Amino acid sequence: MQILDKTKKLFNVEKGNIKRTLLKTILAVPFWITVAALFLIVFGISRALFLTSSRPDQYIAENWQSSSETFFRHMSVYAGGVRTSGDTSPMTCVEGGKSIRLADIALIRASLQGASSAGTSASVKNMSVSDGKLRGWEDCYSSTVKGTLEAVEIRDGKEEVIAGKADAQIVAVGGNYKAFHPFRYMAGGFLPETPVDTYQIVINDVLAWKFYHSYDVVGNRININGQSFTIIGVVEEKSTKTAELAGEQDNRAFIYFGALGTIFGSNASSDSKDAGADALPVASAEATSDYAIQCYEALLPELVKGVAVTDFKSALPSYSITNPQVYVADNTGRFGIVRVYDTFFPVGETAKTRAGYEFPYWETAAQMTEDRLFYDYTIIGVGIILLLTGVAMIALKLRARKTVVPEELEASDVDEAGEEAQLLLEA
């Protein structure tokens, strides 16, 4: 009997211990929910801040606004074309309004300025085009192509090949490109908006190190298809995972858009000059009107919210809401929570809209950033919900401390309730 009583007593003790442990665990749940919520919120916000800060090219309008009372909006349009020999040939124009020609730039600028002259918009009130230079706003255009580059160093007054050849992406630019794509310069600077020398080139740090194992390479030469270019600057590429996946760590060089005709042969039509190409700040007199502009960007003042978007779309050749032909991106505020979720919902709609376009590396990186921000914002949302749940549970727990044990409870129940109340206080 004694053994049975001891066994029963031991069982009751263990049962009480288990019950108290379980009760402590249950009472501690609000605390752990709150801790988990705070972790998710901090993690999501930290990642979101890191992702957005790594894409300064999407905050150009905000940077301009910091030094001006005028609100600005950064708009981009991505157009189509064909490549006759794959990515090693420049994108050429196609009919049907899917391409933007070099001559279209002057028409777009005139249209944007015309909106103000006609009094139809307050967004471009201070915009003007004088001697080919924009006043009160900025724009640029570009197109990409793959090419083989050969590094050359001048020694004792003679050119000497020192690093063989390397395949690289060539970005042909016009307008104020550096205003839309802020770089950190390892050496020199970027191509001047108004060309001084048609055959100047800027290379990235990846290519500079590959060829010269140095960034101090200003003055050296790069040959592309037999044409010699003088290096005037070296830019640093971003080293984030998104940048790497988007191809920003690839070999890359920047030249003037007007030099494409010399490097890859003239595909120009005879009406190049008549179309107004000479009025543009292009780098060369070579006819290049058949080369398609892959991306056109504009930074527009906007006194009335949303008007700049309408003006920009209206200025594009062959654009219509029902049949846009080109892809227009509103860069200003694109990483906001509402804009990011609008990109994903309805599911598949944005992917369908973007299908068929060849995006340059910076837009690819921006779209990948949107994808990652969607998950980060979702993590933050889940964290906020858990935090509210944890706070509510803690509030209920505090109320439980004020619970009064009814007098009709038996002594054993009172003791048990007392222990639970004590556990509540301890927790």
Side-chain angles (χ1 to χ4, degrees):
M1 290 294 293
Q2 291 181 354
I3 295 176
L4 183 60
D5 291 339
K6 289 182 178 180
T7 302
K8 186 182 295 186
K9 185 177 181 180
L10 180 62
F11 175 78
N12 291 332
V13 170
E14 290 299 324
K15 180 180 178 181
N17 291 337
I18 293 173
K19 188 175 182 180
R20 282 190 291 271
T21 301
L22 181 61
L23 183 59
K24 285 183 178 181
T25 302
I26 294 174
L27 293 174
V29 167
F31 170 77
W32 291 113
I33 288 178
T34 304
V35 170
L38 292 174
F39 172 80
L40 290 176
I41 292 173
V42 172
F43 175 76
I45 291 177
S46 299
R47 270 182 50 92
L49 290 175
F50 173 77
L51 287 170
T52 54
S53 64
S54 66
R55 301 310 316 171
D57 54 332
Q58 301 299 315
Y59 291 92
I60 300 302
E62 289 82 350
N63 294 338
W64 277 65
Q65 287 161 207
S66 63
S67 58
S68 172
E69 296 180 357
T70 305
F71 183 84
F72 286 88
R73 188 167 295 278
H74 176 196
M75 301 292 300
S76 301
V77 56
Y78 300 93
V82 295
R83 298 185 186 274
T84 57
S85 303
D87 57 7
T88 58
S89 59
M91 183 181 291
T92 55
C93 297
V94 294
E95 300 300 328
K98 294 183 178 181
S99 298
I100 297 178
R101 301 174 184 273
L102 183 60
D104 291 332
I105 301 301
L107 299 176
I108 292 172
R109 290 174 176 173
S111 178
L112 288 172
Q113 178 58 28
S116 175
S117 301
T120 59
S121 172
S123 69
V124 288
K125 183 177 180 180
N126 299 316
M127 292 167 55
S128 64
V129 181
S130 177
D131 298 326
K133 170 63 180 175
L134 307 183
R135 308 294 178 184
W137 60 298
E138 298 289 343
D139 74 348
C140 74
Y141 52 93
S142 58
S143 192
T144 60
V145 62
K146 290 289 183 68
T148 301
L149 280 60
E150 185 178 39
V152 176
E153 184 179 22
I154 300 177
R155 294 179 180 176
D156 299 327
K158 297 181 180 180
E159 291 188 356
E160 180 180 348
V161 177
I162 63 169
K165 299 180 180 180
D167 293 331
Q169 182 184 65
I170 302 170
V171 184
V173 307
N176 194 1
Y177 185 85
K178 65 179 180 181
F180 293 84
H181 301 272
F183 292 110
R184 178 173 177 266
Y185 296 94
M186 311 297 288
F190 201 75
L191 301 170
E193 182 178 357
T194 301
V196 177
D197 178 3
T198 301
Y199 302 110
Q200 292 179 329
I201 191 171
V202 174
I203 61 177
N204 66 359
D205 54 344
V206 181
L207 195 57
W209 192 259
K210 180 180 182 66
F211 278 154
Y212 302 101
H213 292 286
S214 171
Y215 304 127
D216 187 17
V217 298
V218 173
N220 287 325
R221 294 184 179 276
I222 296 286
N223 288 340
I224 308 176
N225 289 353
Q227 177 62 53
S228 181
F229 290 80
T230 303
I231 300 175
I232 65 168
V234 178
V235 298
E236 181 184 40
E237 297 287 11
K238 300 175 183 63
S239 57
T240 64
K241 185 64 176 178
T242 301
E244 181 181 352
L245 293 174
E248 292 191 66
Q249 286 293 307
D250 296 345
N251 300 326
R252 185 169 293 106
F254 303 85
I255 64 172
Y256 285 111
F257 191 88
L260 285 176
T262 301
I263 300 174
F264 297 97
S266 177
N267 293 318
S269 60
S270 59
D271 63 348
S272 175
K273 294 185 179 180
D274 295 335
D278 281 354
L280 298 173
V282 296
S284 172
E286 295 287 343
T288 54
S289 66
D290 275 356
Y291 289 131
I293 290 174
Q294 188 177 6
C295 175
Y296 173 75
E297 302 176 73
L299 183 67
L300 306 174
E302 185 177 61
L303 301 183
V304 179
K305 187 176 181 181
V307 175
V309 178
T310 302
D311 290 338
F312 185 78
K313 292 179 178 179
S314 299
L316 300 175
S318 305
Y319 182 89
S320 68
I321 297 177
T322 56
N323 187 25
Q325 301 278 31
V326 293
Y327 178 75
V328 177
D330 180 3
N331 302 82
T332 303
R334 73 182 297 176
F335 292 153
I337 296 177
V338 175
R339 288 279 302 276
V340 168
Y341 273 87
D342 186 59
T343 300
F344 275 79
F345 299 105
V347 177
E349 183 176 287
T350 300
K352 183 179 179 180
T353 303
R354 292 173 175 173
Y357 291 98
E358 182 182 334
F359 293 106
Y361 68 91
W362 61 85
E363 176 61 19
T364 300
Q367 293 177 13
M368 293 176 67
T369 300
E370 289 176 330
D371 294 343
R372 284 158 173 74
L373 284 174
F374 173 80
Y375 296 108
D376 290 333
Y377 290 154
T378 301
I379 289 173
I380 294 172
V382 172
I384 292 174
I385 293 173
L386 288 177
L387 180 62
L388 294 175
T389 303
V391 170
M393 294 177 70
I394 290 174
L396 292 174
K397 176 180 172 181
L398 293 176
R399 287 189 60 186
R401 292 183 177 182
K402 300 179 181 180
T403 302
V404 179
V405 181
E407 295 181 358
E408 54 269 18
L409 291 177
E410 297 180 358
S412 59
D413 293 334
V414 171
D415 293 339
E416 186 176 344
E419 291 180 1
E420 294 181 357
Q422 183 63 33
L423 287 174
L424 284 171
L425 293 174
E426 291 176 355

